[in-house]
Amino acid sequence: MNVISERRRTGRPLSFDRDAALTQAMMVFWRHGYEATSLADLTTAMGVTAPSIYTAYGDKKRLFLEAVRRYLSGPVTSDSIIDEAPDGRAAAARLLETAALGFTGDTTPPGCLLASAAISCSAEAADVQAELAAIRRGIEDRLRRKIAADRGTDAEALAAHCMAVVQGMSTLARDGASRGKLLEIASIAMRAWPNA
Amino acid sequence: MNVISERRRTGRPLSFDRDAALTQAMMVFWRHGYEATSLADLTTAMGVTAPSIYTAYGDKKRLFLEAVRRYLSGPVTSDSIIDEAPDGRAAAARLLETAALGFTGDTTPPGCLLASAAISCSAEAADVQAELAAIRRGIEDRLRRKIAADRGTDAEALAAHCMAVVQGMSTLARDGASRGKLLEIASIAMRAWPNA
DNA sequence: AGCGTTTCATAGTGATCATTATGAATGTGA
DNA sequence: TCACATTCATAATGATCACTATGAAACGCT
């Protein structure tokens, strides 16, 4: 049952690294968003011709969603950050810090892929925007539940505030804000918590 | 020197209300952003044919920037909010509250026009993105100076946090967050200030 | 009325968009 | 070696993009 060694029985083999090409696609989507990324941008960045993209990934929308899954499935996911934190407060702090670092990486585009791709959507890309909104809501719900386990009163508002700060940090990062500035913002945001 | 009664001496008069059409254009840009708004969207929303748009406003970029100026020149501008506040803390609180209200108006699109239009820009619209970023920085600088007049230490971080929350509230509003939720976020954000 | 000026609607510009038809190329299995 | 399956590169598809050439229509002025 070794999946790696399982090969298609017949046919010409793929001439490009499907995984590496997907990473390049993720980078382009990360930098320019979903709609502003043209298939010509993708072919040049991935080094793959358009028909090969379509046979390998489907269409542009499926390629984007696969890039989003790749973006979310890093070694440090927002899910694990929240779940493995000792309490809601630590979850929020780590989420903010991880966002500040992830939005200012020197080998990745500035800001958040989800935030960059989500806004400025035309009518035909409304379903893509809806999927991204669902992902954001999922993260927010997970954080809210984590906070509510400790302190019941204002869990929803605290989680929403944290999400707003993360979203805003993405914009500031795209505007050129430094990593230090984003970490300061995260620190300020955590002052909103009681019994500091 | 009555400007209103001054008319062009010759030529066929404009058959549409230039001001009302600009408002409609602002609404479309507000909802869909800059690049996702096509000229076909604008012609249908404004009730004006494409050549008339070009003779009246220039090109799409100039029309958008004029819509941005219209958006920023309301009766309650961010500038006046900040300047007329008694201190930096009140300026931040009013900015957050005004944003929460303005992003959830029942006759306007959800979110912030600047935030909606800024993200997801292709290379050719980079100058538009740069202009929007300059506007955001101008607001942030004004807020930072206002805060720094009271308390010198962490004015920059407090201003940046406030801007991040405003930006984030726009995203949450577009995701369907209610006015009450945004006001709660604003309230939580103000807890970050010392000597509450 | 007639001229000059401006805006009007119609239609079309080349460019770019995502997507695909086509046939040659390259592999496996027999 | 040969049929079969799959991917390859080339080139083209119709649609849409921002933008405009063109000539008729509607005004003020003389």
Side-chain angles (χ1 to χ4, degrees):
Chain A
M1 278 300 198
N2 191 342
V3 180
I4 299 294
S5 67
E6 265 186 24
R7 314 189 140 244
R8 267 177 306 282
R9 291 198 310 276
T10 61
R12 179 174 176 172
L14 231 63
S15 67
F16 63 94
D17 187 337
R18 193 187 184 283
D19 221 49
L22 178 61
T23 300
Q24 294 307 314
M26 180 192 70
M27 291 293 189
V28 182
F29 282 128
W30 194 341
R31 185 174 299 277
H32 296 295
Y34 171 65
E35 292 214 81
T37 298
S38 71
L39 228 72
D41 296 333
L42 292 168
T43 56
T44 57
M46 302 167 74
V48 179
T49 60
S52 296
I53 290 181
Y54 277 81
T55 57
Y57 305 97
D59 56 358
K60 184 187 172 186
K61 185 180 301 181
R62 274 197 282 258
L63 172 59
F64 173 72
L65 293 176
E66 198 164 342
V68 169
R69 284 195 294 271
R70 154 76 47 101
Y71 177 77
L72 292 174
S73 69
V76 187
T77 69
S78 57
D79 286 359
S80 67
I81 290 172
I82 296 170
D83 291 342
E84 297 171 6
D87 56 7
R89 181 196 182 90
R94 291 184 187 180
L95 197 62
L96 287 166
E97 185 185 11
T98 306
L101 298 178
F103 295 172
T104 57
D106 50 355
T107 63
T108 52
C112 171
L113 189 150
L114 298 179
S116 299
I119 331 249
S120 187
C121 272
S122 68
E124 64 189 53
D127 52 347
V128 171
Q129 189 168 12
E131 292 214 43
L132 296 176
I135 292 173
R136 284 195 294 272
R137 264 194 293 272
I139 298 173
E140 180 172 347
D141 286 347
R142 186 178 292 260
L143 178 62
R144 177 179 48 77
R145 286 194 298 268
K146 184 75 174 188
I147 299 173
D150 306 329
R151 34 180 296 110
T153 58
D154 48 6
E156 181 169 351
L158 281 171
H161 169 256
C162 184
M163 293 299 292
V165 171
V166 169
Q167 292 287 329
M169 285 198 301
S170 172
T171 301
L172 294 183
R174 290 178 69 96
D175 284 357
S178 69
R179 172 170 286 185
K181 184 161 189 175
L182 261 57
L183 287 172
E184 276 186 354
I185 293 174
S187 170
I188 293 279
M190 285 310 295
R191 287 206 222 144
W193 284 71
N195 58 29
Chain B
M1 274 302 197
N2 192 343
V3 180
I4 299 296
S5 67
E6 263 186 26
R7 313 188 140 245
R8 267 177 303 285
R9 292 199 309 277
T10 63
R12 180 173 173 171
L14 231 64
S15 67
F16 62 94
D17 188 337
R18 194 187 183 281
D19 220 50
L22 177 61
T23 299
Q24 294 307 313
M26 179 192 72
M27 290 293 189
V28 182
F29 283 128
W30 193 342
R31 186 173 301 276
H32 297 294
Y34 172 65
E35 293 215 82
T37 298
S38 71
L39 228 71
D41 296 333
L42 292 169
T43 57
T44 56
M46 302 168 74
V48 179
T49 60
S52 296
I53 290 180
Y54 278 81
T55 56
Y57 305 96
D59 55 358
K60 183 186 173 185
K61 186 181 299 180
R62 275 197 282 260
L63 173 59
F64 172 71
L65 293 177
E66 197 164 346
V68 169
R69 283 195 295 272
R70 154 77 47 102
Y71 177 77
L72 292 174
S73 69
V76 187
T77 69
S78 56
D79 287 0
S80 67
I81 290 172
I82 296 170
D83 291 343
E84 296 170 4
D87 56 6
R89 181 195 182 90
R94 292 184 188 181
L95 196 61
L96 288 167
E97 185 187 9
T98 306
L101 298 178
F103 296 173
T104 57
D106 50 356
T107 62
T108 52
C112 172
L113 188 150
L114 299 179
S116 300
I119 331 252
S120 186
C121 271
S122 69
E124 64 190 51
D127 51 346
V128 172
Q129 189 167 13
E131 293 215 42
L132 296 176
I135 292 174
R136 284 194 295 271
R137 263 193 295 272
I139 298 173
E140 181 173 347
D141 286 348
R142 187 177 292 260
L143 178 62
R144 176 179 48 75
R145 286 194 298 269
K146 184 76 174 185
I147 299 173
D150 305 329
R151 33 180 299 111
T153 59
D154 47 6
E156 182 169 350
L158 282 171
H161 168 257
C162 184
M163 293 298 292
V165 171
V166 169
Q167 291 287 329
M169 285 197 301
S170 173
T171 301
L172 295 184
R174 289 178 69 94
D175 285 355
S178 68
R179 171 169 289 185
K181 186 161 189 176
L182 261 57
L183 288 172
E184 277 185 353
I185 293 174
S187 170
I188 292 279
M190 286 310 295
R191 287 207 222 144
W193 284 71
N195 59 29

PDB file of all heavy atoms in Angstrom, chain A residues 97-124:
ATOM      1  N   GLU A  97       0.892  36.641  17.321  1.00  0.00           N
ATOM      2  CA  GLU A  97       2.339  36.625  17.078  1.00  0.00           C
ATOM      3  C   GLU A  97       2.668  35.854  15.805  1.00  0.00           C
ATOM      4  O   GLU A  97       3.498  36.295  14.997  1.00  0.00           O
ATOM      5  CB  GLU A  97       3.060  35.993  18.279  1.00  0.00           C
ATOM      6  CG  GLU A  97       4.569  36.045  18.143  1.00  0.00           C
ATOM      7  CD  GLU A  97       5.246  35.291  19.295  1.00  0.00           C
ATOM      8  OE1 GLU A  97       4.542  34.585  20.052  1.00  0.00           O
ATOM      9  OE2 GLU A  97       6.473  35.399  19.415  1.00  0.00           O
ATOM     10  N   THR A  98       2.025  34.720  15.623  1.00  0.00           N
ATOM     11  CA  THR A  98       2.278  33.934  14.418  1.00  0.00           C
ATOM     12  C   THR A  98       1.887  34.712  13.170  1.00  0.00           C
ATOM     13  O   THR A  98       2.573  34.662  12.137  1.00  0.00           O
ATOM     14  CB  THR A  98       1.494  32.617  14.472  1.00  0.00           C
ATOM     15  OG1 THR A  98       1.813  31.935  15.686  1.00  0.00           O
ATOM     16  CG2 THR A  98       1.838  31.740  13.288  1.00  0.00           C
ATOM     17  N   ALA A  99       0.785  35.437  13.253  1.00  0.00           N
ATOM     18  CA  ALA A  99       0.372  36.253  12.113  1.00  0.00           C
ATOM     19  C   ALA A  99       1.408  37.332  11.830  1.00  0.00           C
ATOM     20  O   ALA A  99       1.787  37.556  10.670  1.00  0.00           O
ATOM     21  CB  ALA A  99      -0.996  36.876  12.387  1.00  0.00           C
ATOM     22  N   ALA A 100       1.881  37.996  12.883  1.00  0.00           N
ATOM     23  CA  ALA A 100       2.870  39.063  12.684  1.00  0.00           C
ATOM     24  C   ALA A 100       4.116  38.512  12.003  1.00  0.00           C
ATOM     25  O   ALA A 100       4.689  39.154  11.107  1.00  0.00           O
ATOM     26  CB  ALA A 100       3.215  39.709  14.022  1.00  0.00           C
ATOM     27  N   LEU A 101       4.532  37.328  12.413  1.00  0.00           N
ATOM     28  CA  LEU A 101       5.721  36.733  11.798  1.00  0.00           C
ATOM     29  C   LEU A 101       5.414  36.254  10.385  1.00  0.00           C
ATOM     30  O   LEU A 101       6.197  36.479   9.456  1.00  0.00           O
ATOM     31  CB  LEU A 101       6.207  35.566  12.660  1.00  0.00           C
ATOM     32  CG  LEU A 101       6.647  35.935  14.089  1.00  0.00           C
ATOM     33  CD1 LEU A 101       7.053  34.683  14.867  1.00  0.00           C
ATOM     34  CD2 LEU A 101       7.782  36.937  14.068  1.00  0.00           C
ATOM     35  N   GLY A 102       4.297  35.569  10.222  1.00  0.00           N
ATOM     36  CA  GLY A 102       3.975  35.006   8.915  1.00  0.00           C
ATOM     37  C   GLY A 102       3.692  36.052   7.855  1.00  0.00           C
ATOM     38  O   GLY A 102       3.898  35.800   6.664  1.00  0.00           O
ATOM     39  N   PHE A 103       3.238  37.223   8.287  1.00  0.00           N
ATOM     40  CA  PHE A 103       2.912  38.270   7.314  1.00  0.00           C
ATOM     41  C   PHE A 103       4.139  39.058   6.901  1.00  0.00           C
ATOM     42  O   PHE A 103       4.051  39.895   6.002  1.00  0.00           O
ATOM     43  CB  PHE A 103       1.864  39.236   7.897  1.00  0.00           C
ATOM     44  CG  PHE A 103       0.534  38.603   8.171  1.00  0.00           C
ATOM     45  CD1 PHE A 103      -0.457  39.300   8.838  1.00  0.00           C
ATOM     46  CD2 PHE A 103       0.264  37.299   7.769  1.00  0.00           C
ATOM     47  CE1 PHE A 103      -1.694  38.716   9.098  1.00  0.00           C
ATOM     48  CE2 PHE A 103      -0.963  36.703   8.025  1.00  0.00           C
ATOM     49  CZ  PHE A 103      -1.934  37.416   8.707  1.00  0.00           C
ATOM     50  N   THR A 104       5.252  38.841   7.566  1.00  0.00           N
ATOM     51  CA  THR A 104       6.466  39.604   7.261  1.00  0.00           C
ATOM     52  C   THR A 104       7.653  38.683   7.015  1.00  0.00           C
ATOM     53  O   THR A 104       8.786  39.034   7.321  1.00  0.00           O
ATOM     54  CB  THR A 104       6.795  40.577   8.402  1.00  0.00           C
ATOM     55  OG1 THR A 104       6.936  39.821   9.621  1.00  0.00           O
ATOM     56  CG2 THR A 104       5.724  41.620   8.590  1.00  0.00           C
ATOM     57  N   GLY A 105       7.385  37.517   6.455  1.00  0.00           N
ATOM     58  CA  GLY A 105       8.482  36.617   6.120  1.00  0.00           C
ATOM     59  C   GLY A 105       9.315  37.158   4.973  1.00  0.00           C
ATOM     60  O   GLY A 105       8.782  37.830   4.087  1.00  0.00           O
ATOM     61  N   ASP A 106      10.596  36.882   4.979  1.00  0.00           N
ATOM     62  CA  ASP A 106      11.444  37.451   3.931  1.00  0.00           C
ATOM     63  C   ASP A 106      11.481  36.574   2.679  1.00  0.00           C
ATOM     64  O   ASP A 106      12.054  36.980   1.673  1.00  0.00           O
ATOM     65  CB  ASP A 106      12.870  37.661   4.465  1.00  0.00           C
ATOM     66  CG  ASP A 106      13.402  36.423   5.135  1.00  0.00           C
ATOM     67  OD1 ASP A 106      12.639  35.454   5.261  1.00  0.00           O
ATOM     68  OD2 ASP A 106      14.580  36.415   5.533  1.00  0.00           O
ATOM     69  N   THR A 107      10.878  35.427   2.726  1.00  0.00           N
ATOM     70  CA  THR A 107      10.806  34.583   1.523  1.00  0.00           C
ATOM     71  C   THR A 107       9.370  34.426   1.018  1.00  0.00           C
ATOM     72  O   THR A 107       9.134  33.675   0.068  1.00  0.00           O
ATOM     73  CB  THR A 107      11.392  33.189   1.806  1.00  0.00           C
ATOM     74  OG1 THR A 107      10.593  32.567   2.813  1.00  0.00           O
ATOM     75  CG2 THR A 107      12.824  33.282   2.278  1.00  0.00           C
ATOM     76  N   THR A 108       8.451  35.118   1.646  1.00  0.00           N
ATOM     77  CA  THR A 108       7.052  35.024   1.242  1.00  0.00           C
ATOM     78  C   THR A 108       6.501  36.429   1.028  1.00  0.00           C
ATOM     79  O   THR A 108       7.031  37.398   1.575  1.00  0.00           O
ATOM     80  CB  THR A 108       6.209  34.320   2.316  1.00  0.00           C
ATOM     81  OG1 THR A 108       6.440  34.959   3.566  1.00  0.00           O
ATOM     82  CG2 THR A 108       6.570  32.850   2.406  1.00  0.00           C
ATOM     83  N   PRO A 109       5.435  36.565   0.245  1.00  0.00           N
ATOM     84  CA  PRO A 109       4.842  37.882   0.050  1.00  0.00           C
ATOM     85  C   PRO A 109       4.320  38.449   1.360  1.00  0.00           C
ATOM     86  O   PRO A 109       3.974  37.696   2.285  1.00  0.00           O
ATOM     87  CB  PRO A 109       3.695  37.609  -0.919  1.00  0.00           C
ATOM     88  CG  PRO A 109       4.067  36.355  -1.616  1.00  0.00           C
ATOM     89  CD  PRO A 109       4.803  35.547  -0.596  1.00  0.00           C
ATOM     90  N   PRO A 110       4.251  39.775   1.467  1.00  0.00           N
ATOM     91  CA  PRO A 110       3.750  40.367   2.711  1.00  0.00           C
ATOM     92  C   PRO A 110       2.251  40.158   2.865  1.00  0.00           C
ATOM     93  O   PRO A 110       1.524  40.063   1.888  1.00  0.00           O
ATOM     94  CB  PRO A 110       4.086  41.848   2.558  1.00  0.00           C
ATOM     95  CG  PRO A 110       4.140  42.068   1.088  1.00  0.00           C
ATOM     96  CD  PRO A 110       4.650  40.781   0.491  1.00  0.00           C
ATOM     97  N   GLY A 111       1.827  40.079   4.093  1.00  0.00           N
ATOM     98  CA  GLY A 111       0.400  39.955   4.378  1.00  0.00           C
ATOM     99  C   GLY A 111      -0.075  38.518   4.388  1.00  0.00           C
ATOM    100  O   GLY A 111       0.716  37.576   4.353  1.00  0.00           O
ATOM    101  N   CYS A 112      -1.391  38.380   4.439  1.00  0.00           N
ATOM    102  CA  CYS A 112      -2.040  37.082   4.559  1.00  0.00           C
ATOM    103  C   CYS A 112      -2.674  36.712   3.230  1.00  0.00           C
ATOM    104  O   CYS A 112      -3.344  37.536   2.607  1.00  0.00           O
ATOM    105  CB  CYS A 112      -3.108  37.148   5.647  1.00  0.00           C
ATOM    106  SG  CYS A 112      -4.169  35.694   5.744  1.00  0.00           S
ATOM    107  N   LEU A 113      -2.460  35.486   2.805  1.00  0.00           N
ATOM    108  CA  LEU A 113      -3.047  35.055   1.533  1.00  0.00           C
ATOM    109  C   LEU A 113      -4.558  35.151   1.575  1.00  0.00           C
ATOM    110  O   LEU A 113      -5.190  35.607   0.613  1.00  0.00           O
ATOM    111  CB  LEU A 113      -2.616  33.634   1.215  1.00  0.00           C
ATOM    112  CG  LEU A 113      -2.964  33.082  -0.168  1.00  0.00           C
ATOM    113  CD1 LEU A 113      -1.944  32.069  -0.620  1.00  0.00           C
ATOM    114  CD2 LEU A 113      -4.339  32.444  -0.207  1.00  0.00           C
ATOM    115  N   LEU A 114      -5.159  34.735   2.668  1.00  0.00           N
ATOM    116  CA  LEU A 114      -6.616  34.768   2.758  1.00  0.00           C
ATOM    117  C   LEU A 114      -7.127  36.198   2.665  1.00  0.00           C
ATOM    118  O   LEU A 114      -8.084  36.490   1.956  1.00  0.00           O
ATOM    119  CB  LEU A 114      -7.085  34.147   4.067  1.00  0.00           C
ATOM    120  CG  LEU A 114      -6.732  32.680   4.284  1.00  0.00           C
ATOM    121  CD1 LEU A 114      -7.256  32.225   5.627  1.00  0.00           C
ATOM    122  CD2 LEU A 114      -7.294  31.818   3.175  1.00  0.00           C
ATOM    123  N   ALA A 115      -6.470  37.105   3.368  1.00  0.00           N
ATOM    124  CA  ALA A 115      -6.916  38.494   3.362  1.00  0.00           C
ATOM    125  C   ALA A 115      -6.648  39.137   2.017  1.00  0.00           C
ATOM    126  O   ALA A 115      -7.460  39.915   1.522  1.00  0.00           O
ATOM    127  CB  ALA A 115      -6.210  39.274   4.473  1.00  0.00           C
ATOM    128  N   SER A 116      -5.513  38.810   1.413  1.00  0.00           N
ATOM    129  CA  SER A 116      -5.180  39.441   0.139  1.00  0.00           C
ATOM    130  C   SER A 116      -6.105  38.987  -0.967  1.00  0.00           C
ATOM    131  O   SER A 116      -6.474  39.750  -1.854  1.00  0.00           O
ATOM    132  CB  SER A 116      -3.735  39.108  -0.239  1.00  0.00           C
ATOM    133  OG  SER A 116      -2.842  39.592   0.734  1.00  0.00           O
ATOM    134  N   ALA A 117      -6.501  37.746  -0.936  1.00  0.00           N
ATOM    135  CA  ALA A 117      -7.304  37.200  -2.023  1.00  0.00           C
ATOM    136  C   ALA A 117      -8.775  37.473  -1.834  1.00  0.00           C
ATOM    137  O   ALA A 117      -9.539  37.431  -2.789  1.00  0.00           O
ATOM    138  CB  ALA A 117      -7.076  35.695  -2.143  1.00  0.00           C
ATOM    139  N   ALA A 118      -9.187  37.776  -0.614  1.00  0.00           N
ATOM    140  CA  ALA A 118     -10.614  37.776  -0.324  1.00  0.00           C
ATOM    141  C   ALA A 118     -11.306  39.024  -0.833  1.00  0.00           C
ATOM    142  O   ALA A 118     -12.411  38.962  -1.348  1.00  0.00           O
ATOM    143  CB  ALA A 118     -10.827  37.665   1.172  1.00  0.00           C
ATOM    144  N   ILE A 119     -10.655  40.158  -0.706  1.00  0.00           N
ATOM    145  CA  ILE A 119     -11.331  41.411  -0.977  1.00  0.00           C
ATOM    146  C   ILE A 119     -11.354  41.675  -2.464  1.00  0.00           C
ATOM    147  O   ILE A 119     -10.709  41.006  -3.238  1.00  0.00           O
ATOM    148  CB  ILE A 119     -10.620  42.528  -0.236  1.00  0.00           C
ATOM    149  CG1 ILE A 119      -9.989  41.968   1.019  1.00  0.00           C
ATOM    150  CG2 ILE A 119     -11.565  43.633   0.065  1.00  0.00           C
ATOM    151  CD1 ILE A 119     -10.559  42.369   2.282  1.00  0.00           C
ATOM    152  N   SER A 120     -12.118  42.647  -2.879  1.00  0.00           N
ATOM    153  CA  SER A 120     -12.139  43.065  -4.271  1.00  0.00           C
ATOM    154  C   SER A 120     -12.483  41.899  -5.180  1.00  0.00           C
ATOM    155  O   SER A 120     -11.714  41.509  -6.042  1.00  0.00           O
ATOM    156  CB  SER A 120     -10.773  43.638  -4.670  1.00  0.00           C
ATOM    157  OG  SER A 120     -10.814  44.183  -5.955  1.00  0.00           O
ATOM    158  N   CYS A 121     -13.649  41.345  -4.957  1.00  0.00           N
ATOM    159  CA  CYS A 121     -14.094  40.224  -5.771  1.00  0.00           C
ATOM    160  C   CYS A 121     -15.259  40.657  -6.643  1.00  0.00           C
ATOM    161  O   CYS A 121     -16.164  41.345  -6.194  1.00  0.00           O
ATOM    162  CB  CYS A 121     -14.533  39.054  -4.887  1.00  0.00           C
ATOM    163  SG  CYS A 121     -13.217  37.930  -4.450  1.00  0.00           S
ATOM    164  N   SER A 122     -15.223  40.267  -7.882  1.00  0.00           N
ATOM    165  CA  SER A 122     -16.349  40.539  -8.753  1.00  0.00           C
ATOM    166  C   SER A 122     -17.458  39.526  -8.491  1.00  0.00           C
ATOM    167  O   SER A 122     -17.341  38.652  -7.645  1.00  0.00           O
ATOM    168  CB  SER A 122     -15.909  40.468 -10.208  1.00  0.00           C
ATOM    169  OG  SER A 122     -15.588  39.148 -10.539  1.00  0.00           O
ATOM    170  N   ALA A 123     -18.536  39.662  -9.228  1.00  0.00           N
ATOM    171  CA  ALA A 123     -19.683  38.803  -8.969  1.00  0.00           C
ATOM    172  C   ALA A 123     -19.360  37.345  -9.284  1.00  0.00           C
ATOM    173  O   ALA A 123     -19.804  36.433  -8.579  1.00  0.00           O
ATOM    174  CB  ALA A 123     -20.869  39.281  -9.811  1.00  0.00           C
ATOM    175  N   GLU A 124     -18.571  37.113 -10.324  1.00  0.00           N
ATOM    176  CA  GLU A 124     -18.322  35.729 -10.715  1.00  0.00           C
ATOM    177  C   GLU A 124     -17.425  34.985  -9.727  1.00  0.00           C
ATOM    178  O   GLU A 124     -17.396  33.770  -9.704  1.00  0.00           O
ATOM    179  CB  GLU A 124     -17.679  35.689 -12.100  1.00  0.00           C
ATOM    180  CG  GLU A 124     -16.319  36.345 -12.151  1.00  0.00           C
ATOM    181  CD  GLU A 124     -15.817  36.480 -13.579  1.00  0.00           C
ATOM    182  OE1 GLU A 124     -16.579  37.040 -14.410  1.00  0.00           O
ATOM    183  OE2 GLU A 124     -14.713  36.039 -13.860  1.00  0.00           O
TER     184      GLU A 124
END
